[in-house]
Amino acid sequence: MMRRIAAVLAGLAFTLPTSVSAGPVPDGYKLEQVLMLSRHNIRAPLANNGSVLAKVTMQKWPDWEVPGGYLTVKGGVLETYMGRAVAGWLVEQGLLARDACPAPGSVYLYANSLQRTVATAQFFAAGAFPGCDVALHHQDKMGTMDPVFLPAFHDEDENAKAEAVTAMTARARQLQLTPGYRLLNTILGFKNSQSCSQDRLCDLTKGSDSFSAKKGEEPNTAGSLKLGNAVIDAFTLQYYEGFALKDIAWGKIRNDAQWQTLAAVKNGYQETLFTTPAVARDVARSTLAYITGAFARPETGKAVPVTLMFGHDSNIASVLAALEANSYDLPGQDEKTPIGGLIQFQRWRDTKGGRDLFRLDYVYQTKQQLREGSELGARNPPRRVTLTLKACPADANGFCPWSDFVKVLP
């Protein structure tokens, strides 16, 4: 794998970026600014053999080559491909010059200060700007969450925190997760686990979930939902990393229908903790403030044309929910916020109509692209789906008035 990544990086120095498959753009529309919020690429599971995963099954979990939570080598390769593809789209849209490094002040890279997000940004830059001196910004203290990327509660009001707990509890009760829990019971041999013998939780379908909202901390839960999410996260990462099928969930996930059943639990966890209005508006506050600042007063000409933020699925989920994005599907993906995917906040100018416009796209790789690790290009582009916001009604091409989008921002 190390030879492979060296070959990828060496090859990028001599090849042009390839284009992301873009949606329809009417004649006369010019992209003037874009801010991208990305999720890090493939990492080892956050829960490792010495923690929750060891308690939920008697079976041995496969080993990873990097510590828990760290970006893997394959994750770096995939992010290099993504950087190259996104840069090709930026060249195509005229925000970057072809065969040249970005002009000073034209690109700003900003990552959360964890290994997986900083490394993701570094590999993205290697793919997008090979051989160029493009600075990466992050806070000095590594291993701690940057407040801009920390999806924590800010509100000190006890009523607001109680409202958040009520909202999370209500959302969890709406989820239809029994099929996923039953499948996990079988895969894990859950009734023989430490969770059963020590914690008296022997059937995930019968576990209760409790939620908490504390100032300065992320939304949290305890119970079947949290356990299920940790386990399915590990299985999903094994699949993306390219583990042999016999080693993924010990060979007990046999078809796409089962993957989708399990994904409902993982998506339900994120939906419950980060997307209810009572939660999202608060925990996304710092991230949205930064995004708002990046788009402030573009008429002065001082706004950075291309900004890239490297954070987490919780950032993307809470930001989209806080902005009241309409429901969406990502073809070829089971996750609502896929590994390595990014959302693009785009400011366009309709040169013929004299209008400023907004479009929001989700750029991502399918689960098969991630597993196969194949190079992205014109024949194998990352996917692009245009999202819409309730308060910014879009036309047939996904564009809405910039003035409407600005009203949505805090």
Side-chain angles (χ1 to χ4, degrees), residues 139-169:
Q139 68 177 15
D140 291 337
K141 189 175 181 180
M142 288 289 292
T144 59
M145 292 286 287
D146 183 324
V148 168
F149 294 96
L150 178 62
F153 288 103
H154 299 81
D155 205 324
E156 296 183 356
D157 182 77
E158 292 300 323
N159 290 331
K161 287 185 284 188
E163 180 185 355
V165 169
T166 299
M168 289 187 284
T169 303

Side-chain angles (χ1 to χ4, degrees), residues 224-392:
S224 295
L225 187 59
K226 186 170 186 175
L227 286 176
N229 175 73
V231 172
I232 296 165
D233 178 65
F235 293 160
T236 304
L237 292 167
Q238 290 169 5
Y239 184 85
Y240 291 160
E241 183 69 6
F243 281 48
L245 292 177
K246 66 180 179 61
D247 295 325
I248 301 172
W250 310 282
K252 296 178 181 178
I253 304 176
R254 297 185 173 88
N255 52 55
D256 280 345
Q258 289 181 326
W259 275 114
Q260 291 162 10
T261 297
L262 294 174
V265 177
K266 191 169 186 294
N267 289 331
Y269 173 87
Q270 184 182 83
E271 179 183 336
T272 300
L273 265 65
F274 296 104
T275 70
T276 60
V279 174
R281 287 192 296 265
D282 191 358
V283 302
R285 186 186 305 178
S286 296
T287 310
L288 277 173
Y290 186 89
I291 293 171
T292 300
F295 283 120
R297 295 182 297 280
E299 69 276 2
T300 65
K302 295 180 180 179
V304 177
V306 179
T307 299
L308 291 122
M309 302 174 67
F310 297 87
H312 308 271
D313 52 354
S314 55
N315 297 134
I316 294 176
S318 59
V319 163
L320 289 178
L323 295 177
E324 295 189 301
N326 293 309
S327 60
Y328 62 91
D329 292 312
L330 301 179
Q333 258 297 344
D334 295 331
E335 294 187 281
K336 296 297 290 186
T337 52
I339 280 282
L342 55 88
I343 51 175
Q344 295 179 331
F345 296 85
Q346 307 166 9
R347 182 170 63 87
W348 293 78
R349 180 66 178 174
D350 174 8
T351 58
K352 293 183 177 180
R355 303 177 300 159
D356 289 317
L357 301 170
F358 169 75
R359 192 165 87 168
L360 178 64
D361 284 357
Y362 211 132
V363 181
Y364 66 98
Q365 294 188 62
T366 67
K367 59 184 182 181
Q368 202 60 36
Q369 285 178 313
L370 291 168
R371 178 164 175 80
E372 293 175 354
S374 53
E375 185 174 357
L376 299 176
R379 295 183 179 180
N380 182 40
R383 303 298 189 258
R384 177 181 292 271
V385 170
T386 298
L387 310 184
T388 58
L389 306 179
K390 290 181 181 179
C392 198

Side-chain angles (χ1 to χ4, degrees), residues 115-199:
Q115 187 274 348
R116 61 185 175 274
T117 44
V118 171
T120 294
Q122 291 170 332
F123 280 108
F124 184 98
F129 320 114
C132 301
D133 186 14
V134 179
L136 169 60
H137 303 269
H138 60 83
Q139 68 177 15
D140 291 337
K141 189 175 181 180
M142 288 289 292
T144 59
M145 292 286 287
D146 183 324
V148 168
F149 294 96
L150 178 62
F153 288 103
H154 299 81
D155 205 324
E156 296 183 356
D157 182 77
E158 292 300 323
N159 290 331
K161 287 185 284 188
E163 180 185 355
V165 169
T166 299
M168 289 187 284
T169 303
R171 182 62 61 86
R173 289 173 178 169
Q174 295 170 355
L175 301 174
Q176 304 296 319
L177 303 183
T178 298
Y181 288 151
R182 285 176 177 163
L183 182 55
L184 280 180
N185 282 339
T186 300
I187 292 173
L188 297 170
F190 195 60
K191 65 182 180 180
N192 298 318
S193 69
Q194 291 181 37
S195 291
C196 180
S197 61
Q198 296 178 4
D199 302 333

Side-chain angles (χ1 to χ4, degrees), residues 43-45 64-71:
R43 54 161 170 76
W64 288 72
E65 294 181 348
V66 297
Y70 274 48
L71 191 77

Side-chain angles (χ1 to χ4, degrees), residues 28 33 64 73 80 91 143 201 206 216 242 256 289 296 306 331 399:
Q33 187 181 10
W64 288 72
V73 173
T80 303
V91 168
L201 177 58
K206 297 180 180 179
D256 280 345
V306 179
F399 293 92

